[in-house]
Amino acid sequence: MRRLNRKKTLNLMKELDAFPKVPESYVETSVSGGTVSLIAFTTIAFLTVMEFTVYRDTWMKYEYEVDKDFTSKLRINIDITVAMRCQYVGADVLDLAETMVASADGLIYEPVIFDLSPQQKEWQRMLHLIQSRLQEEHSLQDVIFKSAFKSASTALPPREDNSLQSPDACRIHGHLYVNKVAGNFHVTVGKAIPHPRGHAHLAALVSHESYNFSHRIDHLSFGELIPGIINPLDGTEKIASDHNQMFQYFITIVPTKLHTYKISAETHQFSVTERERVINHAAGSHGVSGIFMKYDISSLMVTVTEEHMPFWQFLVRLCGIVGGIFSTTGILHGFGRFVAEVIFCRFKLGSHRSTSVPLPDGHTSNHLPPATDNGTH
């Protein structure tokens, strides 16, 4: 009884077989079929390797929404070197919303040498090269996002030479927190003095001949400090051609949430335009000598997410490749054989001319006589 049920089950499974097998004695092979099969298998192997490479790779997805966070503070990370002594310059932030000076206690003034050492010049040259490539190929920004926290530090390396030259510049570095509104970070002559209507800088004791706002921006970023991220102004160096010269940077900040398989951080991207001019009141060029970074915050927020192809999608694409190539090559092979048979048949019919066979009544027949067993007419 059990064997009978098993036999019925096997017969039922055979009836449900959607892939019937053809005995090998009924299968005809050919050289053309083998050639097409070899091409098909090679193509399948190549496309499978390429598809696996795509499956291993990841890409960055960008989503945009309105930034609804108005209460948090904005962090500014600064590392700038000015070619003037520290007692002659002062840095602060003017909050345009409250028209008051934001606290700049988080900044450190360090006397340094303005000229870079050979190793530092090499670092600056490589940074300029990366910046130029980023401007030409925007897709490289995705590579930088993926390598955040994994790549080498982008900070200026310390001097490797023990120079006995006295410091002639001032490195202003550190971070400070400001309100999340438009503002103006600037470095100018004299220390900042609070004022009821704004602020002022004590510059009366500094002679105009000592003004030199040649500067180098080693780092400028907004938000959380993420090692490996290269910002647009990193490595920028400007040499003043006149004592009374103004350098302006107009910055547009975009809040950014970065989510990759390695990190999850809230940072800010920004774009910048530059302008510089000589202050000459007699010629109508008014202003104050110094370095001014005017920033504004975009109302949109960008969420950058690293995504990966699901495994089920990889299997579906792989099955599509295998099945599609087999079907396509089968159709092409069948069509090629059909065309070849038609051409060869016409060639054979044209090469065999009809012969005339005499009949007993004196007429002739244009039909070919039947072939005998030995192949003769």
Short mmCIF file of all heavy atoms in Angstrom, two decimals, residues 169-218:
data_model
loop_
_atom_site.label_atom_id
_atom_site.label_comp_id
_atom_site.label_asym_id
_atom_site.label_seq_id
_atom_site.Cartn_x
_atom_site.Cartn_y
_atom_site.Cartn_z
N ALA A 169 53.64 85.41 11.89
CA ALA A 169 52.23 85.27 11.54
C ALA A 169 51.46 84.79 12.75
O ALA A 169 52.05 84.45 13.79
CB ALA A 169 52.06 84.31 10.36
N CYS A 170 50.15 84.75 12.60
CA CYS A 170 49.27 84.33 13.70
C CYS A 170 48.31 83.27 13.19
O CYS A 170 47.59 83.49 12.20
CB CYS A 170 48.50 85.52 14.25
SG CYS A 170 47.47 85.10 15.69
N ARG A 171 48.33 82.12 13.84
CA ARG A 171 47.40 81.05 13.50
C ARG A 171 46.20 81.12 14.44
O ARG A 171 46.35 81.00 15.66
CB ARG A 171 48.09 79.69 13.62
CG ARG A 171 47.18 78.51 13.33
CD ARG A 171 47.83 77.21 13.72
NE ARG A 171 46.92 76.08 13.55
CZ ARG A 171 47.10 74.87 14.09
NH1 ARG A 171 48.17 74.64 14.86
NH2 ARG A 171 46.22 73.90 13.90
N ILE A 172 45.04 81.33 13.89
CA ILE A 172 43.79 81.41 14.65
C ILE A 172 43.02 80.12 14.40
O ILE A 172 42.58 79.86 13.27
CB ILE A 172 42.96 82.63 14.22
CG1 ILE A 172 43.79 83.91 14.34
CG2 ILE A 172 41.69 82.75 15.05
CD1 ILE A 172 43.10 85.14 13.77
N HIS A 173 42.90 79.31 15.43
CA HIS A 173 42.23 78.02 15.23
C HIS A 173 41.39 77.69 16.45
O HIS A 173 41.58 78.22 17.55
CB HIS A 173 43.27 76.92 14.98
CG HIS A 173 44.24 76.72 16.12
ND1 HIS A 173 44.10 75.74 17.06
CD2 HIS A 173 45.38 77.40 16.45
CE1 HIS A 173 45.09 75.81 17.93
NE2 HIS A 173 45.90 76.81 17.57
N GLY A 174 40.44 76.78 16.24
CA GLY A 174 39.50 76.39 17.29
C GLY A 174 38.10 76.30 16.72
O GLY A 174 37.90 76.16 15.50
N HIS A 175 37.11 76.36 17.58
CA HIS A 175 35.72 76.32 17.14
C HIS A 175 34.89 77.20 18.06
O HIS A 175 35.27 77.50 19.20
CB HIS A 175 35.19 74.88 17.17
CG HIS A 175 35.11 74.30 18.55
ND1 HIS A 175 36.18 73.66 19.14
CD2 HIS A 175 34.09 74.28 19.47
CE1 HIS A 175 35.83 73.26 20.35
NE2 HIS A 175 34.58 73.63 20.57
N LEU A 176 33.75 77.61 17.54
CA LEU A 176 32.82 78.41 18.33
C LEU A 176 31.40 78.11 17.86
O LEU A 176 31.19 77.59 16.75
CB LEU A 176 33.16 79.91 18.20
CG LEU A 176 33.42 80.47 16.80
CD1 LEU A 176 32.14 80.93 16.15
CD2 LEU A 176 34.40 81.62 16.89
N TYR A 177 30.45 78.42 18.71
CA TYR A 177 29.03 78.15 18.44
C TYR A 177 28.29 79.47 18.26
O TYR A 177 28.44 80.39 19.07
CB TYR A 177 28.41 77.35 19.58
CG TYR A 177 28.95 75.94 19.69
CD1 TYR A 177 30.06 75.65 20.49
CD2 TYR A 177 28.36 74.89 18.99
CE1 TYR A 177 30.56 74.37 20.58
CE2 TYR A 177 28.86 73.60 19.09
CZ TYR A 177 29.96 73.35 19.89
OH TYR A 177 30.45 72.06 19.98
N VAL A 178 27.50 79.54 17.20
CA VAL A 178 26.73 80.73 16.91
C VAL A 178 25.28 80.32 16.66
O VAL A 178 24.96 79.14 16.49
CB VAL A 178 27.29 81.48 15.68
CG1 VAL A 178 28.71 81.95 15.93
CG2 VAL A 178 27.25 80.59 14.45
N ASN A 179 24.39 81.32 16.63
CA ASN A 179 22.99 81.05 16.30
C ASN A 179 22.86 80.60 14.85
O ASN A 179 23.66 80.98 13.98
CB ASN A 179 22.14 82.30 16.54
CG ASN A 179 22.09 82.68 18.01
OD1 ASN A 179 22.05 81.82 18.88
ND2 ASN A 179 22.11 83.98 18.29
N LYS A 180 21.86 79.82 14.59
CA LYS A 180 21.68 79.25 13.26
C LYS A 180 21.00 80.25 12.33
O LYS A 180 19.90 80.03 11.81
CB LYS A 180 20.87 77.96 13.36
CG LYS A 180 21.09 77.01 12.20
CD LYS A 180 20.41 75.69 12.45
CE LYS A 180 20.66 74.73 11.30
NZ LYS A 180 19.99 73.42 11.53
N VAL A 181 21.66 81.39 12.16
CA VAL A 181 21.19 82.43 11.25
C VAL A 181 22.40 82.96 10.49
O VAL A 181 23.53 82.59 10.78
CB VAL A 181 20.49 83.58 12.03
CG1 VAL A 181 19.19 83.10 12.64
CG2 VAL A 181 21.42 84.15 13.09
N ALA A 182 22.15 83.84 9.54
CA ALA A 182 23.24 84.42 8.76
C ALA A 182 24.17 85.22 9.67
O ALA A 182 23.75 85.82 10.66
CB ALA A 182 22.68 85.30 7.65
N GLY A 183 25.44 85.23 9.33
CA GLY A 183 26.42 85.92 10.15
C GLY A 183 27.65 86.28 9.35
O GLY A 183 27.74 86.04 8.14
N ASN A 184 28.62 86.86 10.06
CA ASN A 184 29.84 87.34 9.41
C ASN A 184 31.01 87.08 10.34
O ASN A 184 31.14 87.72 11.39
CB ASN A 184 29.70 88.83 9.10
CG ASN A 184 30.95 89.40 8.45
OD1 ASN A 184 31.86 88.67 8.07
ND2 ASN A 184 31.00 90.72 8.34
N PHE A 185 31.83 86.11 9.96
CA PHE A 185 33.07 85.87 10.69
C PHE A 185 34.18 86.64 9.98
O PHE A 185 34.35 86.55 8.77
CB PHE A 185 33.41 84.38 10.71
CG PHE A 185 34.79 84.09 11.24
CD1 PHE A 185 35.02 84.10 12.60
CD2 PHE A 185 35.85 83.83 10.38
CE1 PHE A 185 36.30 83.84 13.10
CE2 PHE A 185 37.12 83.56 10.86
CZ PHE A 185 37.34 83.57 12.23
N HIS A 186 34.93 87.43 10.74
CA HIS A 186 35.94 88.27 10.10
C HIS A 186 37.18 88.38 10.98
O HIS A 186 37.11 88.27 12.21
CB HIS A 186 35.39 89.67 9.79
CG HIS A 186 34.75 90.33 10.95
ND1 HIS A 186 33.42 90.17 11.26
CD2 HIS A 186 35.25 91.18 11.88
CE1 HIS A 186 33.12 90.88 12.33
NE2 HIS A 186 34.23 91.50 12.74
N VAL A 187 38.29 88.60 10.32
CA VAL A 187 39.58 88.84 10.95
C VAL A 187 40.07 90.19 10.43
O VAL A 187 40.25 90.37 9.23
CB VAL A 187 40.60 87.74 10.62
CG1 VAL A 187 41.93 88.02 11.31
CG2 VAL A 187 40.07 86.37 11.02
N THR A 188 40.28 91.12 11.35
CA THR A 188 40.73 92.45 10.95
C THR A 188 41.72 92.99 11.98
O THR A 188 42.06 92.29 12.95
CB THR A 188 39.54 93.40 10.77
OG1 THR A 188 39.98 94.64 10.23
CG2 THR A 188 38.82 93.62 12.08
N VAL A 189 42.16 94.22 11.79
CA VAL A 189 43.18 94.81 12.66
C VAL A 189 42.57 95.16 14.01
O VAL A 189 41.48 95.74 14.09
CB VAL A 189 43.78 96.06 12.00
CG1 VAL A 189 44.83 96.68 12.91
CG2 VAL A 189 44.39 95.71 10.65
N GLY A 190 43.29 94.82 15.10
CA GLY A 190 42.85 95.17 16.43
C GLY A 190 41.90 94.16 17.04
O GLY A 190 41.22 93.41 16.34
N LYS A 191 41.87 94.15 18.37
CA LYS A 191 40.97 93.27 19.09
C LYS A 191 39.57 93.86 19.10
O LYS A 191 39.37 95.07 19.05
CB LYS A 191 41.47 93.06 20.53
CG LYS A 191 42.88 92.50 20.62
CD LYS A 191 42.99 91.14 19.95
CE LYS A 191 44.41 90.57 20.07
NZ LYS A 191 44.56 89.26 19.41
N ALA A 192 38.58 92.95 19.15
CA ALA A 192 37.19 93.39 19.12
C ALA A 192 36.79 94.02 20.45
O ALA A 192 37.18 93.55 21.53
CB ALA A 192 36.28 92.21 18.81
N ILE A 193 36.01 95.10 20.36
CA ILE A 193 35.51 95.80 21.55
C ILE A 193 33.98 95.83 21.47
O ILE A 193 33.43 96.27 20.45
CB ILE A 193 36.05 97.24 21.62
CG1 ILE A 193 37.58 97.23 21.64
CG2 ILE A 193 35.51 97.97 22.83
CD1 ILE A 193 38.18 98.62 21.58
N PRO A 194 33.27 95.32 22.48
CA PRO A 194 31.80 95.38 22.45
C PRO A 194 31.30 96.83 22.37
O PRO A 194 31.88 97.74 22.95
CB PRO A 194 31.39 94.72 23.77
CG PRO A 194 32.57 93.92 24.18
CD PRO A 194 33.78 94.65 23.68
N HIS A 195 30.19 97.01 21.64
CA HIS A 195 29.63 98.34 21.42
C HIS A 195 28.11 98.21 21.44
O HIS A 195 27.56 97.22 20.95
CB HIS A 195 30.13 98.90 20.08
CG HIS A 195 29.84 100.36 19.91
ND1 HIS A 195 28.66 100.83 19.38
CD2 HIS A 195 30.60 101.45 20.20
CE1 HIS A 195 28.69 102.15 19.35
NE2 HIS A 195 29.85 102.56 19.85
N PRO A 196 27.40 99.19 22.00
CA PRO A 196 25.93 99.08 22.05
C PRO A 196 25.29 98.92 20.68
O PRO A 196 24.26 98.26 20.55
CB PRO A 196 25.50 100.38 22.73
CG PRO A 196 26.69 100.81 23.52
CD PRO A 196 27.89 100.38 22.72
N ARG A 197 25.85 99.51 19.66
CA ARG A 197 25.28 99.43 18.32
C ARG A 197 25.95 98.38 17.45
O ARG A 197 25.74 98.33 16.25
CB ARG A 197 25.37 100.79 17.64
CG ARG A 197 24.56 101.88 18.32
CD ARG A 197 24.62 103.17 17.52
NE ARG A 197 23.81 104.21 18.15
CZ ARG A 197 23.68 105.45 17.66
NH1 ARG A 197 24.31 105.77 16.53
NH2 ARG A 197 22.94 106.32 18.29
N GLY A 198 26.74 97.57 18.01
CA GLY A 198 27.42 96.54 17.23
C GLY A 198 28.73 96.19 17.87
O GLY A 198 28.78 95.67 18.98
N HIS A 199 29.81 96.48 17.18
CA HIS A 199 31.12 96.22 17.73
C HIS A 199 32.14 97.06 16.98
O HIS A 199 31.86 97.65 15.93
CB HIS A 199 31.46 94.73 17.64
CG HIS A 199 31.88 94.30 16.26
ND1 HIS A 199 31.01 94.32 15.19
CD2 HIS A 199 33.07 93.86 15.79
CE1 HIS A 199 31.65 93.91 14.11
NE2 HIS A 199 32.90 93.62 14.44
N ALA A 200 33.34 97.14 17.53
CA ALA A 200 34.44 97.89 16.91
C ALA A 200 35.74 97.17 17.21
O ALA A 200 35.81 96.31 18.10
CB ALA A 200 34.47 99.32 17.45
N HIS A 201 36.77 97.52 16.44
CA HIS A 201 38.10 96.94 16.62
C HIS A 201 39.08 98.05 16.97
O HIS A 201 39.08 99.12 16.34
CB HIS A 201 38.55 96.21 15.35
CG HIS A 201 37.85 94.91 15.12
ND1 HIS A 201 38.38 93.70 15.47
CD2 HIS A 201 36.63 94.66 14.59
CE1 HIS A 201 37.54 92.73 15.14
NE2 HIS A 201 36.46 93.29 14.59
N LEU A 202 39.91 97.79 17.96
CA LEU A 202 40.90 98.76 18.42
C LEU A 202 42.10 98.70 17.48
O LEU A 202 43.02 97.90 17.66
CB LEU A 202 41.30 98.45 19.86
CG LEU A 202 42.23 99.45 20.53
CD1 LEU A 202 41.58 100.84 20.58
CD2 LEU A 202 42.58 98.98 21.93
N ALA A 203 42.07 99.54 16.44
CA ALA A 203 43.11 99.52 15.42
C ALA A 203 43.92 100.79 15.36
O ALA A 203 44.77 100.94 14.48
CB ALA A 203 42.48 99.26 14.05
N ALA A 204 43.69 101.71 16.30
CA ALA A 204 44.37 103.00 16.22
C ALA A 204 45.87 102.88 16.48
O ALA A 204 46.65 103.69 15.98
CB ALA A 204 43.74 103.97 17.22
N LEU A 205 46.30 101.88 17.25
CA LEU A 205 47.70 101.76 17.62
C LEU A 205 48.52 100.97 16.60
O LEU A 205 49.72 100.77 16.82
CB LEU A 205 47.83 101.10 19.00
CG LEU A 205 47.11 101.83 20.15
CD1 LEU A 205 47.28 101.04 21.44
CD2 LEU A 205 47.63 103.25 20.30
N VAL A 206 47.89 100.53 15.53
CA VAL A 206 48.58 99.73 14.52
C VAL A 206 48.76 100.58 13.26
O VAL A 206 47.79 101.14 12.74
CB VAL A 206 47.79 98.44 14.18
CG1 VAL A 206 48.57 97.59 13.20
CG2 VAL A 206 47.49 97.65 15.46
N SER A 207 49.99 100.71 12.80
CA SER A 207 50.26 101.53 11.62
C SER A 207 49.80 100.81 10.36
O SER A 207 49.80 99.57 10.29
CB SER A 207 51.75 101.84 11.52
OG SER A 207 52.49 100.65 11.37
N HIS A 208 49.41 101.58 9.34
CA HIS A 208 48.93 100.99 8.10
C HIS A 208 50.03 100.24 7.36
O HIS A 208 49.74 99.30 6.60
CB HIS A 208 48.35 102.10 7.19
CG HIS A 208 47.06 102.66 7.70
ND1 HIS A 208 45.84 102.08 7.41
CD2 HIS A 208 46.79 103.75 8.46
CE1 HIS A 208 44.87 102.78 7.97
NE2 HIS A 208 45.42 103.81 8.62
N GLU A 209 51.29 100.63 7.56
CA GLU A 209 52.38 99.95 6.87
C GLU A 209 52.57 98.51 7.34
O GLU A 209 53.14 97.67 6.62
CB GLU A 209 53.70 100.72 7.06
CG GLU A 209 53.79 102.03 6.29
CD GLU A 209 52.92 103.12 6.90
OE1 GLU A 209 52.49 102.95 8.07
OE2 GLU A 209 52.67 104.13 6.21
N SER A 210 52.08 98.20 8.54
CA SER A 210 52.22 96.84 9.06
C SER A 210 51.04 95.94 8.68
O SER A 210 51.03 94.76 9.02
CB SER A 210 52.37 96.87 10.59
OG SER A 210 51.22 97.44 11.18
N TYR A 211 50.05 96.49 7.96
CA TYR A 211 48.91 95.68 7.53
C TYR A 211 49.39 94.66 6.49
O TYR A 211 50.05 95.01 5.50
CB TYR A 211 47.82 96.54 6.91
CG TYR A 211 47.02 97.39 7.87
CD1 TYR A 211 47.41 97.54 9.20
CD2 TYR A 211 45.88 98.05 7.45
CE1 TYR A 211 46.68 98.31 10.08
CE2 TYR A 211 45.13 98.84 8.33
CZ TYR A 211 45.55 98.98 9.65
OH TYR A 211 44.83 99.75 10.52
N ASN A 212 49.04 93.43 6.69
CA ASN A 212 49.34 92.38 5.72
C ASN A 212 48.35 91.24 5.93
O ASN A 212 48.52 90.42 6.84
CB ASN A 212 50.77 91.88 5.86
CG ASN A 212 51.13 90.88 4.77
OD1 ASN A 212 50.34 90.59 3.88
ND2 ASN A 212 52.33 90.33 4.85
N PHE A 213 47.30 91.22 5.12
CA PHE A 213 46.27 90.20 5.28
C PHE A 213 46.43 89.04 4.30
O PHE A 213 45.45 88.41 3.92
CB PHE A 213 44.88 90.85 5.14
CG PHE A 213 44.49 91.63 6.35
CD1 PHE A 213 44.59 93.01 6.37
CD2 PHE A 213 44.04 90.98 7.49
CE1 PHE A 213 44.24 93.73 7.49
CE2 PHE A 213 43.69 91.70 8.62
CZ PHE A 213 43.79 93.07 8.63
N SER A 214 47.66 88.80 3.93
CA SER A 214 47.94 87.53 3.26
C SER A 214 47.59 86.41 4.24
O SER A 214 47.96 86.46 5.42
CB SER A 214 49.41 87.45 2.86
OG SER A 214 49.75 88.50 1.97
N HIS A 215 46.90 85.42 3.76
CA HIS A 215 46.41 84.39 4.70
C HIS A 215 46.33 83.04 4.01
O HIS A 215 46.37 82.93 2.78
CB HIS A 215 45.02 84.78 5.24
CG HIS A 215 43.97 84.88 4.18
ND1 HIS A 215 43.84 86.01 3.39
CD2 HIS A 215 43.02 84.01 3.76
CE1 HIS A 215 42.84 85.84 2.54
NE2 HIS A 215 42.33 84.63 2.73
N ARG A 216 46.23 82.05 4.84
CA ARG A 216 46.07 80.67 4.37
C ARG A 216 44.99 80.01 5.22
O ARG A 216 45.07 79.99 6.45
CB ARG A 216 47.40 79.91 4.50
CG ARG A 216 47.35 78.47 3.98
CD ARG A 216 48.71 77.80 4.07
NE ARG A 216 49.19 77.77 5.46
CZ ARG A 216 50.17 78.51 5.91
NH1 ARG A 216 50.78 79.37 5.11
NH2 ARG A 216 50.56 78.42 7.17
N ILE A 217 43.98 79.45 4.56
CA ILE A 217 42.89 78.76 5.25
C ILE A 217 43.21 77.26 5.23
O ILE A 217 43.03 76.59 4.21
CB ILE A 217 41.54 79.05 4.58
CG1 ILE A 217 41.27 80.55 4.54
CG2 ILE A 217 40.40 78.33 5.31
CD1 ILE A 217 40.01 80.93 3.78
N ASP A 218 43.70 76.76 6.32
CA ASP A 218 44.01 75.33 6.41
C ASP A 218 42.75 74.50 6.61
O ASP A 218 42.69 73.35 6.15
CB ASP A 218 44.99 75.07 7.56
CG ASP A 218 46.34 75.74 7.31
OD1 ASP A 218 46.75 75.81 6.13
OD2 ASP A 218 46.96 76.22 8.27
#
